[in-house]
Structure formats: C-alpha cells, structure tokens
Amino acid sequence: MRKLATVLLLLGTLVVPFMHSTAPATADPGGLKGPLSTSGRYIVDAGGNRVKLKSGNWHGSSGTWNGSGDDEVTANNFSEENGHRAPLGLDRVQMAKLVGDFKALGLNSIRLPFSNEMISDTRPVQGLTANPELNGLRPIEVYDRAVAALTSAGLGVILNNHTTTTRWCCGVDGNERWNSGQSWDDWINDWVFMTSRYRNDPGVIGADLRNEVRRDTWDNPNWGQGDSHDWADAAQEAGDAILTKGNPDLLIMVEGVNWMGIPTDLTWHERPMLEPIKRLSTTLVKSHKVVYAVHFYGYIGPNHTGGTGIGGGETHDPRFRDMSRTDLFKSMDDRAGYVATTADKHFTAPVWVSEFGVGKSDAGDLDKTWFKNMVDYLIERDLDFAYWPIIGYQQNDKGNSWGLLRYDTTGGLRKITDADDWRGTHFNRLMAANGFTGKVSPSRTWSMLQGIHEDDNRSIRAAADWDGGAHKMVCPDGQRLFGVSDRGQGGLCGDATLGDLWQPGTSAVKVSSEKVSTDWAGGFTKYQCTEGQFMIGYSLRGDAMSGILCAPGRVPLAGAGRTLWFDKGDNRPASGEGGDWANSYYKGQCNANEYVAGIAFSGNNNRGNRPQALYCRTLP
C-alpha cells in the first residue's frame, strides 16, 4: 500500500510542481503573525516587542505508523494512535473544535510536524470520520487545511520537518538526518516548496528545519566538519534558501545535534544539543532570524539515549530525571540555556525548547519531580517552549496519557487542567509566566564567519564570486567586519555603534593590491579600503591573503587609525564582546566604535602571507 508513495518520493521535485497551492488564509488580526525577528535573546514582532512562543506540538502528518504492517491498522501505529497521515484527532473531533481547544489552553503557536513523503504522497487520506470533508484529500491538502484553521484562529504555525518518511520517530528508523533516504538538494527543495506554499499567510511564522538529528547505524552527524553529515552546513544552506527563495519573513529554527556515538558503556556517546554553538554559530544571509531549538525529556540524559535494556541502547549514564535540581539546571544550561542567557556574543539567540513533556498516568516520583523542575527552569530562564504532544487518545483509563488534551472515541475530552491531573498545577504556572514583556531594548548583533570548507559569503548585495578560486568570507548585509583570524579562515561581523554602515545604492569593491594612505604596518603588505569605505569581507587561497572587499560608508569615514597586531596571540577587546569566534586560532578584533579599513600580511619568517594585523579606524 505504501509503494506508490515511495515511488513518488523518489521522483522528488518532478511531483511537486503539479501540486496546487491553497488560497491565502485570513489570519485573526489579534493573533500571532509575522514577520517576526530576533533581538538578542528574544523573539520580537515588527514593533520590537517581545513575543514569547507558548507552543504545542500537533503531530500526525509526519506519521504515527510504527513501520511494519498496514498503516491503516490501528495496532500498527504508535500507542495505537492512528493519525491516518494527518494531524492527530481528526477522526474523533471536528477541526474547528480541536483548534478552539488549543486556544483555550492559552497556547499562542503550534509546531506542526510534516514528513518529506507527505509532500508527494498521492494516496487519499481516509478514516477522518469527524471531518468527512477531508477524506479523499492528499495528506498535504489536509495539512493545508490545518494550517489555515490554526492561523485563522490567531495561532502562529511553525512548520517542522520531522521525518523523511511518514512514520513514527525517533530511533534508527531511516529518518536520522536531513539527507537520510533523500538527497541534500531534495530536502532543501522541499523546504523552499513548503515555505513558498504558505508565504501569503502571515500566521505561518517559522521553519523548524529538522527534528532530532542523530546517528544512524553506521555514521554520526557532526557540527562543522564540512562533510555530507555536517548539520551546521546543512542548516545554514537550508535557512539561506528559505529566506531567499521561500519566505524572507520566517524565523529559522535550528535544533542542535541530538545524538552522537554508540550507546554502550564501553564506547563514546553523547547528546551535544546546542553546546557546539559557542564555537560555531549559524550565520544566515538575513540577520535576526535564527532561533535555536532543543528537546528535554526526563527519561533521556546528556549521555543517555532514553532507551531501556541493552537492545534499547541503555547505558549506566544518568537520565535527566535522576539528577538533582542543581545538576539538572547546570546540565541544561551547558547544553542549551547559555545561548539565551549569555549576552553580546556571536551565538546569543532565543532558545525554544521545542519538545518536552510527561505522562499523567505513567509518571513515577522521579518523573514528577523532573517535570516540576523543568517548568521551573523554563520560567527562571524565560525560554520559549513547545509541549509534546497537544493531543493524546484516551479510552477509559487506558491510552497515551502524555497529551495536554486527551480525546476518547466519541470526542470526550480530558485536559491537563482537570482537577485529577497532577501536571496541571505546573502547566498553569508555566502558561502564566510571561517573563520579560514589552519593548526589547535594541541590542548589537554579532555573527561569525568560517570559510575552512567552503565560501562563507553571507551578503546578498555583494557579488557571490568576487574573487574567483579563493575562499571568501563576507558579512551579512547590515553588518561590517570586526575581526579576522590568522588561520582557520574565520571572521567576526557586527552592527555595533552605527548599525548598517553601507551606503544604499552602492556596490562593494575588491582590493587586491597595495595602495595606502599611511604605512601603518611597516615591512608588511597592506590591502586597504579607500577613504570613505570599510571592510565587509576578505578572501584567502589556503591561509594566504588574496583580497579584501570594501563598501562605501553612508557616513564620512576618515577617523584616526591604529594597527592591531595578532601575529603572536589573540588581540580582542577586554570586554569579550562577540565571544570567541575562531576558537584555538590567533585573531584580532577592532573595538565596537571602530571599523576595519585594512589587513596586513607577509611571506617572511614563515608567515605564509596569513593575516597578521588589522587597520582599525575610529567611527565618526
């Protein structure tokens, strides 16, 4: 029964162009809608006011099928919850009531998982008995209806690429990476398709790039190694494609690496989450769009898969629910929270805990303590969140008790806020805790560049191949270069002091020969921008200088200059602003009230023509 969908998936983009797009939905003017962006650790609306995501996960379109047998047989679906390749609950409750029940909980946004297979699956949906008008539609058309119902009710929608195939996640199931069972390009093309499809609906506010990137049977994902398993590279490429070809208004949610290593007591294994972000953060072609995501459950741990028994990948590492409150908070800070709570760094961004949850009926004392502590953590760190899942199925006292809302076969409802649900007190505390509200004070933005594996050309305005054959590092539009590393092909960009410095309507200029106003680095070759221009990028051949890229300033630029040497160590502001953007390499960084006007280098004394000094000039 699944062969047709599999064939269509292999055809990829050959199928996609023939799918019709729904008419734009009319969103509730009082609801959550875009464009949204980020300011430091917060998500903000167009007026600069903080928007806190209080989300829930409405799963089903990404699959409830366990992977064997007929997917329409209830027993072959996870916890015997058959979503029929559609958002869960549509066989029991009318769509409008479901959405109304979501809003009654106080949620303002929905993480809506989909599979890549859903996009090209032409097998008609059946079994949605409470919504018979949806039967006979393709899965993506039912997904369309869900998006429209949510956004029309004022709920923001975050599209989430959960799996490749439409089946239950997550283990060694063929859905481990973005390019598991599909090509890298097909995955990105699907994202452009999905984000373009809902571009005219301002209630669609974000794109959550991939769920729980993890090891498959043989290989680990990584963060920054430049190979076909490099999640940092994939996330950046997909984010850029969405913002330039899909929908420039969306937030881009980047989840950390969920699991690496072989889970035995004798082999290395860990759950890195967002820990690597401090060394390599995501820089997109459009700034103020990155939100980092992470999942926390009591039954998993920093080195524990969450499995049970040797066959389930269980080790003797502690689970989060085994930890003291102090150790739990520290572990979550180290793996995620620091990204939001550490200000003024290249990695500073909002953190969205896009999955956490616990069952009403199957929770032991450790689970109950963990859930209380988890809610305390979300409140104290003022993080955005999304509970998993919104919907569970209930029949008498059996079924999946994890849902915020649990429906029986007749549509009867039990809620987390019912008097007999121990979770309700903590959930109510969480929903009532708004954290910081109101206008967010403008904060300067820092972004890191790294061109070790390929160009890191972040500008849309600058020519993409402005120095053919060289590795090029260029700041995003609206930012200027602040720092350069001697090796590692790294850079720091930012908008401190004067914001966007580039004069509108002008073009960037390559400089690859020496012509200086003063000899600010005697005995060294110097590439310098002409008066009135500032550096936005540079290029290398290997580690050797090739050229610099300069842009005309929108204000007069002719301030006093100083030479900043970094040939024998780090030379960065004592404040630590920007963070360590080229870990383990020598680097130089101009001050926030300066701009980079030039780079000096030399081939003498084994210097290899690597960058050795910056010419920092004072802003007016």
Side-chain angles (χ1 to χ4, degrees), residues 157-402:
V157 171
I158 298 101
L159 311 174
N160 163 236
N161 179 220
H162 211 70
T163 53
T164 304
T165 60
T166 305
R167 62 171 293 182
W168 184 253
C169 174
C170 295
V172 183
D173 55 7
N175 295 303
E176 298 86 359
R177 295 189 307 275
W178 63 99
N179 55 348
S180 294
Q182 61 188 347
S183 74
W184 190 311
D185 287 343
D186 284 345
W187 174 69
I188 290 177
N189 289 338
D190 280 352
W191 260 123
V192 172
F193 171 78
M194 288 294 286
T195 52
S196 298
R197 188 175 185 90
Y198 307 110
R199 181 170 181 160
N200 293 327
D201 187 342
V204 177
I205 59 173
D208 181 3
L209 297 180
R210 187 71 178 188
N211 182 72
E212 296 190 8
V213 172
R214 58 198 183 276
R215 180 186 174 90
D216 60 18
T217 303
W218 303 109
D219 298 300
N220 287 314
N222 66 77
W223 188 261
Q225 293 181 15
D227 58 16
S228 63
H229 297 164
D230 186 347
W231 175 225
D233 189 10
Q236 184 166 286
E237 188 173 337
D240 286 347
I242 289 168
L243 294 174
T244 56
K245 301 175 184 178
N247 184 347
D249 291 336
L250 295 182
L251 296 172
I252 305 298
M253 278 71 173
V254 181
E255 189 178 330
V257 175
N258 188 267
W259 185 264
M260 299 171 68
I262 302 173
T264 74
D265 289 329
L266 300 177
T267 52
W268 165 81
H269 54 274
E270 67 171 341
R271 192 182 299 278
M273 297 184 169
L274 302 180
E275 190 277 334
I277 304 299
K278 65 168 65 77
R279 294 178 295 278
L280 178 59
S281 56
T282 303
T283 301
L284 300 178
V285 293
K286 189 172 183 179
S287 301
H288 305 285
K289 287 296 182 182
V290 174
V291 175
Y292 290 109
V294 67
H295 295 174
F296 285 122
Y297 290 103
Y299 64 86
I300 66 172
N303 298 93
H304 200 299
T305 63
T308 302
I310 296 176
E314 183 171 18
T315 61
H316 287 87
D317 304 293
R319 303 173 191 257
F320 285 121
R321 67 188 178 202
D322 299 325
M323 296 180 176
S324 68
R325 179 186 175 93
T326 299
D327 290 344
L328 175 65
F329 278 35
K330 182 180 186 306
S331 183
M332 293 193 293
D333 278 343
D334 290 345
R335 281 160 183 78
Y338 81 93
V339 172
T341 59
T342 308
D344 209 32
K345 307 299 183 188
H346 65 84
F347 55 76
T348 303
V351 171
W352 182 45
V353 181
S354 54
E355 285 188 26
F356 77 104
V358 70
K360 170 184 179 288
S361 303
D362 54 0
D365 290 342
L366 289 176
D367 296 295
K368 291 179 179 180
T369 300
W370 169 82
F371 189 66
K372 174 189 177 300
N373 288 335
M374 185 72 228
V375 168
D376 288 346
Y377 182 80
L378 292 171
I379 293 172
E380 291 184 21
R381 300 299 189 266
D382 196 9
L383 302 181
D384 302 83
F385 59 86
Y387 186 93
W388 180 281
I390 302 177
I391 294 179
Y393 280 0
Q394 184 87 28
Q395 188 60 37
N396 298 321
D397 290 324
K398 297 180 180 179
N400 182 354
S401 70
W402 281 59

Side-chain angles (χ1 to χ4, degrees), residues 545-607:
M545 281 299 306
S546 179
I548 64 175
L549 194 63
C550 305
R554 62 175 176 79
V555 296
L557 297 176
R562 67 182 178 102
T563 303
L564 182 77
W565 293 98
F566 54 95
D567 56 330
K568 296 181 176 63
D570 274 9
N571 196 348
R572 296 181 290 143
S575 67
E577 58 197 24
D580 191 349
W581 41 271
N583 185 258
S584 78
Y585 296 106
Y586 293 166
K587 47 194 166 291
Q589 178 181 329
C590 297
N591 292 324
N593 65 343
E594 296 176 320
Y595 65 97
V596 181
I599 289 180
F601 57 97
S602 172
N604 297 330
N605 300 318
N606 296 316
R607 289 189 172 97

